[in-house]
Amino acid sequence: MAKNFATKVFFGLNRSDLSNQTLTTLKSLLKAAKAAFKRDSAKRVIVQVVGYVQPTKKNPFPGSLSTARAQNVANWLKSNGIVGKYVVTGAGNARRNVAASRAAEISINWG
């Protein structure tokens, strides 16, 4: 039976670096995931990270920024011990023009 964790982290306007708030969320996810993997003897782990940007006129390259956001999250997870297959996608502009659109969605599945 496959299991999963999902969360969302947020970024500053036109930024892809991991803020303290983002790191706090990622550390919580990391702790919970590692405990679950150990408990369930996880053999196959798939991590999907999808980055988004807030659609504004100031960002002419939304694909690049959304990909950088997703890749930075994936790199952090890898460097902190989440081993598995990674699917990293920059989805470009989010549907809504609000600050919460500056995000990356993370889904970790294991079985």
Side-chain angles (χ1 to χ4, degrees), residues 18-46:
L18 304 179
S19 68
N20 288 336
Q21 179 183 354
T22 296
L23 289 171
T24 297
T25 301
L26 290 175
K27 287 174 185 175
S28 294
L29 175 65
L30 179 71
K31 183 178 179 181
K34 283 185 172 183
F37 296 165
K38 185 176 181 180
R39 179 194 68 226
D40 297 339
S41 300
K43 295 184 179 18
R44 188 183 68 200
V45 176
I46 300 172

Side-chain angles (χ1 to χ4, degrees), residues 3-7 29 32-34 36-37 39 106-110:
K3 300 174 181 158
N4 79 352
F5 283 118
T7 193
L29 175 65
K34 283 185 172 183
F37 296 165
R39 179 194 68 226
I106 307 156
S107 176
I108 302 176
N109 300 282
W110 70 96

Side-chain angles (χ1 to χ4, degrees), residues 37-78:
F37 296 165
K38 185 176 181 180
R39 179 194 68 226
D40 297 339
S41 300
K43 295 184 179 18
R44 188 183 68 200
V45 176
I46 300 172
V47 180
Q48 182 174 11
V49 186
V50 181
Y52 297 93
V53 299
Q54 179 181 0
T56 66
K57 292 179 183 177
K58 292 182 180 182
N59 186 359
F61 305 106
S64 298
L65 181 57
S66 63
T67 299
R69 288 174 173 170
Q71 192 62 61
N72 285 346
V73 169
N75 289 345
W76 189 92
L77 291 169
K78 284 180 192 176

